[in-house]
Amino acid sequence: MERSDLQSNCPSCGNILIGDLYAGEVLCPSCGLVVLEQIEDIGPEWKAIDPEDKANRVRVGPPRTISLHDYGLSTDISSDMKDSQGQYLKPDTRTQFHNLQKWQRRIRISPSERSLSHSLAKINEVSQMMNLPKNVSETAARIYRESARLKVARNKSISGMTAASVYIACRKCGVGRTLKDISRSTHLDKRTVAKYYRILIKNVEKEYIPLPPIHKYISKLVNISKIDPKVERLALQLANKTNSSSFLVGKSPAGLAAAYIYISSVLLGSEMHQKEIADIAEVTEVTIRNRCREILDNYAIKQILYPQ
DNA sequence: ATGGTTTTTACTGCGTC
DNA sequence: GACGCGGTAAAAACCAT
């Protein structure tokens, strides 16, 4: 899918928004409005390779989703007591349908599925609260299902497991959310989420999921605050040129992103203070200073910006 | 549990407004 | 004197083993 397909407009001034639609972080370049709205259903969840394929796969009804316990495939018995023509039902058929409804509720969620349904609802709730795109909640749901299937979720706290699933889904989908972000939204201790994260990594999602690249962090910090897009551009440029350096490995991405933003804001003569950036990035000023020193000790700015 | 690494806390001195 | 910045030592947190 092309980036240009994802364009949308600012609700306040109508300008075209910039940013990472998949990450759910969008910014209006002219009025500075940060649109954290979830971009729903960006496109079909499948790719049509050729026209024939496309024709075969067209279907009626909402897309199948793995974030509902029955994949959204169950039949609903309407509760408005009308028939297909819109006529009200006769009293005796009414009671009949009432009973049908009752039984459907009982059958649809079997006891074994009740906890799964509860967990998936929780995942959807958290995702919605954090304005995460749909692909993240679907991925989280998939991970949780898998953990349930492998019986990893047995005797574990549902909130912990769902939070960890969402965190892993964010990493898999390249959405720059930290453990801290997740724990804040779920009202769980960061260590608790980390604990369940490790359980999932060990048993379900075994292959290593790389952390989102620094530029995602930079954009995220810019989007949640009122940082000048010019500063962002320069920060991204600096990050690009120095990113592969060995002295940066093992350092927290948030601290690094903060340092790039700080250096950029100083170069552009803006009024941003260390404290401000530190608060946005949720690191301390000391960490920013240390990263800045390392970057500036190893590179001359001129050399970064204008390499020979 | 442990040891190595990174971040935070708390405190200092310096220059500027 | 308040503020922003730069630095340091020690505590705390984190991570792999």
Side-chain angles (χ1 to χ4, degrees):
Chain A
M1 188 179 299
E2 291 298 315
R3 224 182 157 79
S4 54
D5 293 338
L6 301 177
Q7 273 183 359
S8 67
N9 297 74
C10 176
S12 112
C13 70
N15 263 299
I16 294 194
L17 298 170
I18 56 165
D20 198 338
L21 281 148
Y22 273 117
E25 293 155 3
V26 186
L27 177 81
C28 174
S30 68
C31 70
L33 178 77
V34 178
V35 184
L36 282 173
E37 230 172 355
Q38 183 179 342
I39 312 297
E40 281 276 1
D41 210 355
I42 289 172
E45 75 283 15
W46 42 265
K47 258 192 184 143
I49 310 300
D50 52 66
E52 195 193 336
D53 188 30
K54 197 170 175 178
N56 288 338
R57 299 182 80 163
V58 170
R59 81 254 114 136
V60 184
R64 232 177 72 134
T65 172
I66 55 172
S67 59
L68 293 175
H69 79 284
D70 57 7
Y71 298 91
L73 286 176
S74 59
T75 305
D76 267 320
I77 296 173
S78 161
S79 57
D80 58 7
M81 294 297 159
K82 287 179 189 168
D83 65 16
S84 55
Q85 263 76 46
Q87 303 289 317
Y88 280 99
L89 298 170
K90 289 188 206 116
D92 54 335
T93 13
R94 257 170 114 127
T95 41
Q96 206 179 337
F97 267 83
H98 206 81
N99 285 333
L100 268 175
Q101 263 181 24
K102 196 157 66 184
W103 275 102
Q104 196 208 21
R105 272 200 299 275
R106 288 185 190 163
I107 290 165
R108 181 149 80 182
I109 303 182
S110 65
S112 66
E113 283 189 0
R114 192 163 298 142
S115 96
L116 181 62
S117 145
H118 181 197
S119 307
L120 296 177
K122 193 127 196 163
I123 287 177
N124 285 330
E125 184 194 318
V126 171
S127 308
Q128 211 154 57
M129 206 154 61
M130 298 186 68
N131 293 301
L132 298 171
K134 193 131 192 149
N135 62 333
V136 174
S137 54
E138 296 274 312
T139 307
R142 209 213 71 232
I143 293 165
Y144 189 88
R145 274 178 184 285
E146 188 65 5
S147 77
R149 196 181 65 79
L150 297 170
K151 305 198 192 308
V152 174
R154 285 262 166 94
N155 302 319
K156 306 282 191 319
S157 102
I158 287 178
S159 49
M161 289 299 282
T162 50
S165 303
V166 171
Y167 177 59
I168 294 182
C170 284
R171 293 206 25 188
K172 277 187 95 82
C173 299
V175 175
R177 295 295 147 81
T178 62
L179 219 43
K180 226 182 226 167
D181 294 331
I182 305 281
S183 62
R184 206 186 353 252
S185 298
T186 54
H187 306 293
L188 289 169
D189 188 59
K190 193 179 153 197
R191 296 161 164 213
T192 316
V193 185
K195 191 175 86 187
Y196 289 105
Y197 164 72
R198 278 195 296 273
I199 291 171
L200 285 176
I201 287 295
K202 206 166 187 178
N203 299 292
V204 186
E205 287 290 322
K206 292 177 185 169
E207 85 275 26
Y208 176 71
I209 314 156
L211 279 166
I214 299 295
H215 68 255
K216 290 255 178 194
Y217 283 87
I218 294 176
S219 297
K220 179 191 169 193
L221 296 186
V222 170
N223 285 353
I224 61 176
S225 62
K226 283 207 208 109
I227 296 174
D228 189 348
K230 272 190 225 154
V231 173
E232 177 189 19
R233 217 170 318 138
L234 185 58
L236 290 172
Q237 205 179 342
L238 292 173
N240 237 339
K241 298 279 162 63
T242 58
N243 221 357
S244 52
S245 305
S246 57
F247 64 91
L248 299 178
V249 301
K251 303 297 197 297
S252 85
L256 263 172
Y260 283 123
I261 290 174
Y262 180 65
I263 294 175
S264 308
S265 79
V266 169
L267 286 175
L268 293 173
S270 100
E271 300 286 305
M272 292 220 87
H273 296 144
Q274 289 181 1
K275 180 85 174 71
E276 252 179 286
I277 297 171
D279 285 346
I280 295 163
E282 296 184 286
V283 296
T284 58
E285 294 144 275
V286 180
T287 305
I288 294 185
R289 290 201 281 268
N290 288 336
R291 290 302 87 75
C292 283
R293 188 158 24 123
E294 285 157 14
I295 294 166
L296 298 174
D297 281 354
N298 286 277
Y299 288 92
I301 287 293
K302 241 163 109 186
Q303 167 197 337
I304 305 176
L305 293 178
Y306 316 104
Q308 263 58 13

